[in-house]
Amino acid sequence: DADVTQTPRNRITKTGKRIMLECSQTKGHDRMYWYRQDPGLGLRLIYYSFDVKDINKGEISDGYSVSRQAQAKFSLSLESAIPNQTALYFCATSDLKGQGKGQPQHFGDGTRLSIL
Amino acid sequence: ELKVEQNPLFLSMQEGKNYTIYCNYSTTSDRLYWYRQDPGKSLESLFVLLSNGAVKQEGRLMASLDTKARLSTLHITAAVHDLSATYFCAVDSPSGSRLTFGEGTQLTVNP
């Protein structure tokens, strides 16, 4: 079983719809992240959370919101989807103590989102 | 704002050849990561570089970090087709709270 699970894996929807992408992890990590990947732009950080009560905006948070329901769950919402939010979305996790020792972030398999 | 630039962005090379991918970044950091991504797949961690002069090697890949020059390199030795993928470098913020990724280098190794 994957340590970082994203659902759904693929989603096609229409402009204006509300969409939620979910991420759950079994690694016991305290930090969770949402990224967006577009061709030629690498990965860009949308939101990140260091614990249930800590939510931070990344570089491209406009049009998105998040919820950290539990240490293991971090969901990303698009309140009113628009076509330029079509992208591949990744959830990642890390551990504060491990990060101090240089452990990398661990990524889920991604959600491919298409907005028509 | 931390900026990370990779070059080249596209690299087509023959099997058996050597090449280097460069990762430059704009502000002080002493933690840099290299990831590999196969088409349609997730990101897989390759190397973690934690200090100036750090060098890590795994198979045909070797990564190094020069924090004074704000430069990391990923050197490919005697490339094989299985190395075809997109390679990303990512730099940790000075506070250690977030990564900034480069644009990625799409590597194609031809027989």
Side-chain angles (χ1 to χ4, degrees), chain B residues 66-92:
Chain B
D66 182 343
T67 59
K68 294 179 181 178
R70 299 175 185 166
L71 171 69
S72 180
T73 61
L74 180 65
H75 187 72
I76 303 154
T77 301
V80 293
H81 180 70
D82 285 352
L83 290 179
S84 296
T86 298
Y87 293 84
F88 291 95
C89 64
V91 179
D92 212 347

Side-chain angles (χ1 to χ4, degrees), chain A residues 3-4 25-29 93 95 106:
Chain A
D3 296 321
V4 183
Q25 52 119 345
T26 58
K27 300 186 74 66
H29 286 171
T93 72
D95 178 75
H106 296 265

Side-chain angles (χ1 to χ4, degrees), chain A residues 31 37 50 99 102 105 107-108, chain B residues 31 35 37 42 45 48 96-97:
Chain A
R31 298 181 167 193
Q37 184 177 21
F50 288 170
Q99 202 163 336
Q105 290 183 12
F107 285 80
Chain B
R31 276 195 284 223
Y35 286 88
Q37 184 182 36
S42 184
S45 175
V48 178
S97 61

Side-chain angles (χ1 to χ4, degrees), chain A residues 31 33 35 37 40-43 45 48 50 57-59 88 90 99-105 107-109 112, chain B residues 1 9 31 33 35 37 40-45 48 50 86 88 92 95-104:
Chain A
R31 298 181 167 193
Y33 308 81
Y35 292 92
Q37 184 177 21
L41 295 178
L43 276 75
L45 184 63
Y48 60 105
F50 288 170
K57 291 183 178 181
E59 60 182 304
L88 182 58
F90 285 102
Q99 202 163 336
K101 299 175 186 176
Q103 291 177 10
Q105 290 183 12
F107 285 80
D109 288 336
R112 188 167 296 280
Chain B
E1 180 187 350
L9 299 184
R31 276 195 284 223
Y33 304 82
Y35 286 88
Q37 184 182 36
K41 302 293 186 181
S42 184
L43 278 76
E44 171 192 357
S45 175
V48 178
L50 296 179
T86 298
F88 291 95
D92 212 347
S95 63
S97 61
R98 50 190 285 179
L99 294 182
T100 300
F101 281 79
E103 307 96 327

Side-chain angles (χ1 to χ4, degrees), chain A residues 4-72:
Chain A
V4 183
T5 302
Q6 292 184 233
T7 56
R9 293 296 314 280
N10 294 280
R11 178 80 184 270
I12 301 173
T13 192
K14 295 181 179 179
T15 297
K17 294 291 187 181
R18 184 178 188 274
I19 303 157
M20 180 180 287
L21 309 183
E22 299 187 346
C23 178
S24 62
Q25 52 119 345
T26 58
K27 300 186 74 66
H29 286 171
D30 47 358
R31 298 181 167 193
M32 298 186 74
Y33 308 81
W34 276 105
Y35 292 92
R36 165 180 175 156
Q37 184 177 21
D38 298 278
L41 295 178
L43 276 75
R44 292 181 292 167
L45 184 63
I46 305 172
Y47 272 96
Y48 60 105
S49 169
F50 288 170
D51 66 36
V52 173
K53 296 182 180 179
D54 179 78
I55 303 289
N56 303 281
K57 291 183 178 181
E59 60 182 304
I60 54 163
S61 59
D62 287 348
Y64 301 94
S65 63
V66 291
S67 174
R68 185 86 183 263
Q69 301 96 322
Q71 189 193 35

